[in-house]
Amino acid sequence: MSIEDRPGGLSEERFLEQLQNCFTQLANESKKKFPHVKEACETGIIRVRNVLAAKNKNESTLKQLLINESGQFMEPFFIGCDTRCAKLIQVSLSSIQKMILYKCLNEQAAQNTINCLWNLMENGLEEVKLLQTITLLLTTNEIVIGDQLARTISMCFRLHYSKNITVSNTASATIRQSITVMLERIPEQADYRLSSLPSELDPARLFDVTPIGDGDCCRYVPLNLDTNTLDAFNLMQDLIQIINGEKTFWLRTNIEIDKSFCLELLD
């Protein structure tokens, strides 16, 4: 793979240099008031050096080594966000975005990133940058699926009703882009034939039916959809639930979502 073909046009060594600079910047910003962040960054710098050393001992690429340890590499940035200090959060989110853009997250690192963003949302911190991070997370890879994807889009819906017009508009745009991404993930020739169903499944039973609440309402989920198609189905089902004045099944929202907005999304 040529340097130009790599994410961001960076060589692996150059990216590690940038990552080390991120740790150094965060450490310098935090050394007075947040020594634990500084210590985490120093550990991160050691990890960078260890990855470079490991590359010389085996045939794994630096990129693969980064992916394998992405959760540990990103931990100082998560800790930086937990301080609720605006400057540290900005530096940390910028660093997280670099990791996302270089496509070196594994599933656990992606989940930890979503947890971090969720905490920022609940505390009303750096909401625009948070939404920008969500956009990168969903558009650069397909590792965020299922419940984690539901949490991610739920954040956008909640921020759509922010009193800050910039945050609200950014969230609206992020929701629309997320839906586009979800639909693009659906296989072009998705196979829904009965022959694709598990052998032990009754072919006449195409849906998993789950009673909701007192049993007056049921949720119907197709049993033979691939993960990406099922995610899209779950979102569309929830949008219809909102339009009908019912509770969502998949999205995690504790706010009243405007029905007209959902109609626009379905249009």
Side-chain angles (χ1 to χ4, degrees):
M1 179 185 289
S2 67
I3 292 177
E4 289 75 13
D5 293 333
R6 295 188 180 111
L10 292 176
S11 68
E12 293 164 339
E13 291 81 1
R14 175 58 180 158
F15 176 74
L16 282 173
E17 181 182 335
Q18 279 198 2
L19 185 58
Q20 186 165 324
N21 290 339
C22 289
F23 287 135
T24 301
Q25 181 184 7
L26 185 58
N28 289 337
E29 293 288 347
S30 60
K31 59 184 177 182
K32 292 183 179 180
K33 293 185 177 180
F34 304 98
H36 65 291
V37 178
K38 179 177 180 293
E39 291 175 6
C41 291
E42 290 171 346
T43 300
I45 292 173
I46 294 173
R47 288 188 184 280
V48 170
R49 295 170 181 168
N50 289 343
V51 165
L52 287 169
K55 173 62 175 66
N56 297 326
K57 296 180 180 179
N58 58 56
E59 297 180 355
S60 298
T61 64
L62 288 176
K63 180 72 171 294
Q64 189 57 52
L65 291 170
L66 276 170
I67 292 173
N68 294 342
E69 298 189 24
S70 54
Q72 293 92 326
F73 273 110
M74 297 179 74
E75 187 63 24
F77 307 134
F78 299 146
I79 296 174
C81 288
D82 287 342
T83 63
R84 302 187 186 181
C85 171
K87 181 61 177 178
L88 296 192
I89 294 173
Q90 291 167 9
V91 173
S92 297
L93 284 179
S94 293
S95 302
I96 290 171
Q97 289 178 2
K98 286 184 173 66
M99 292 284 290
I100 294 172
L101 279 170
Y102 202 69
K103 299 182 180 180
C104 56
L105 273 65
N106 58 28
E107 290 184 9
Q108 186 60 55
Q111 182 175 334
N112 292 344
T113 298
I114 293 168
N115 291 339
C116 174
L117 297 177
W118 186 277
N119 289 335
L120 291 176
M121 175 205 65
E122 290 196 322
N123 289 285
L125 299 169
E126 295 298 327
E127 293 165 319
V128 171
K129 202 169 186 68
L130 179 163
L131 289 163
Q132 293 169 347
T133 306
I134 287 176
T135 298
L136 291 176
L137 189 60
L138 297 185
T139 56
T140 58
N141 60 73
E142 296 186 9
I143 60 176
V144 179
I145 57 176
D147 289 342
Q148 294 305 317
L149 180 59
R151 292 187 71 204
T152 303
I153 297 178
S154 296
M155 281 190 269
C156 300
F157 271 101
R158 289 176 62 171
L159 291 174
H160 174 59
Y161 292 96
S162 168
K163 295 180 180 179
N164 184 306
I165 189 64
T166 301
V167 172
S168 177
N169 289 341
T170 304
S172 176
T174 305
I175 292 169
R176 297 175 192 278
Q177 187 168 5
S178 298
I179 292 176
T180 299
V181 168
M182 291 177 67
L183 294 177
E184 289 176 347
R185 288 181 179 182
I186 298 175
E188 291 185 5
Q189 296 179 339
D191 188 356
Y192 307 137
R193 296 174 302 176
L194 293 180
S195 59
S196 67
L197 295 173
S199 58
E200 69 275 9
L201 182 67
D202 179 358
R205 185 166 174 259
L206 301 180
F207 292 88
D208 179 36
V209 183
T210 305
I212 304 298
D214 296 330
D216 296 333
C217 175
C218 292
R219 181 187 184 190
Y220 292 81
V221 179
L223 291 171
N224 60 326
L225 300 184
D226 62 89
T227 300
N228 290 326
T229 306
L230 182 59
D231 284 340
F233 173 87
N234 284 333
L235 177 59
M236 297 305 165
Q237 185 181 58
D238 271 2
L239 293 178
I240 294 172
Q241 284 288 110
I242 294 168
I243 292 169
N244 291 335
E246 303 289 344
K247 291 183 178 180
T248 58
F249 298 129
W250 191 65
L251 294 172
R252 301 183 182 184
T253 57
N254 56 0
I255 57 173
E256 183 176 348
I257 299 176
D258 184 38
K259 296 180 182 180
S260 61
F261 179 57
C262 292
L263 284 169
E264 290 178 17
L265 296 175
L266 287 173
D267 189 7

